Amino acid sequence: MKLRLGVTNTLLCDIFGISQGLCSNIINTWIPLLASHLKSLIFCPAKEVILQHMPQALGKKYPQLRCTIDCTEIFIQKPRLLELQQKTWSDYKKHNTAKYLIGIAPNGMISFLSDGYGGRSSDKSIVHDSGFLNKVDPKDIILADRGFTIASDLLQKGARLEIPPPSTGVNQQTSEAVAKTKKVANARIHVERAIGKKLKHQFYQQVSKHFLVQLKSSD
């Protein structure tokens, strides 16, 4: 009920007649166990499989597209320790958050999910620390947003980064830049839908204070 319906712990306590402490203990015990057993369902398919199931419209634009990546943040309760407060503070969200790197295959399948990091971690540092680069093969194309300054890292793997052209410091974009921005945005719709669907879930709209979030450090 907690994961499927996103009900509050208070309601769960009323339904099952248990205390808040017991409810939190049950959730903190079973969510990590579920995550451990279901983690195998998130995997990076072989390149041949990805190309075989490549949507035709997307394949015409990016025939070697491996995946689209983005980072998403989940609100968490303010930690008691000052050090953790600093590591989890997100200037973008203006809140303490847990941050995850998500990769979406061209057919919409979630093909990569990193461990959780503090909201202070940069997109680039998470890419480096999460092991995502180990999944990249030569000639792969990776779609991302402007915040992912990893072009040189992918180049070392023989792969290519596709991001929208820069918009800051430019009074008016050229027609080529506008066309590329639209092209990348259309291709990134899968990852935005996947993240958007998650964020619409009531479970994530609440501050995650009723269960433990294990965070890694990208420092």
Side-chain angles (χ1 to χ4, degrees), residues 50-66 106-107 141 143 160 162 183-184 186-187 190:
I50 290 180
L51 295 178
Q52 183 180 355
H53 295 86
M54 175 82 70
Q56 186 175 5
L58 199 54
K60 290 180 179 179
K61 298 177 181 178
Y62 300 105
Q64 296 295 324
L65 178 61
R66 188 63 180 269
N107 66 350
I141 295 177
L143 289 182
R160 189 172 95 240
E162 280 288 329
K183 180 182 177 183
V184 174
N186 289 339
H190 289 308

Side-chain angles (χ1 to χ4, degrees), residues 165 173-182:
Q173 288 188 330
T174 64
S175 57
E176 291 81 4
V178 172
K180 183 176 182 180
T181 299
K182 185 176 180 180

Side-chain angles (χ1 to χ4, degrees), residues 84-175:
L84 290 180
Q85 291 178 22
Q86 295 173 343
K87 288 184 176 181
T88 59
W89 178 256
S90 170
D91 287 331
Y92 178 66
K93 295 291 186 179
K94 304 302 180 185
H95 202 282
N96 296 94
T97 66
K99 192 172 183 179
Y100 298 84
L101 175 67
I102 297 179
I104 306 292
N107 66 350
M109 165 189 169
I110 297 179
S111 59
F112 184 85
L113 178 63
S114 74
D115 291 327
Y117 293 83
R120 184 182 177 184
S121 301
S122 67
D123 296 344
K124 182 175 182 177
S125 65
I126 294 177
V127 169
H128 284 175
D129 190 76
S130 65
F132 171 78
L133 293 175
N134 297 331
K135 308 289 185 181
V136 178
D137 293 324
K139 297 184 179 180
D140 281 351
I141 295 177
I142 306 297
L143 289 182
D145 204 357
R146 296 185 183 94
F148 287 86
T149 55
I150 57 173
S152 59
D153 302 293
L154 291 176
L155 189 61
Q156 293 178 10
K157 305 283 291 187
R160 189 172 95 240
L161 176 69
E162 280 288 329
I163 60 175
S167 58
T168 56
V170 179
N171 293 329
Q172 185 174 357
Q173 288 188 330
T174 64
S175 57

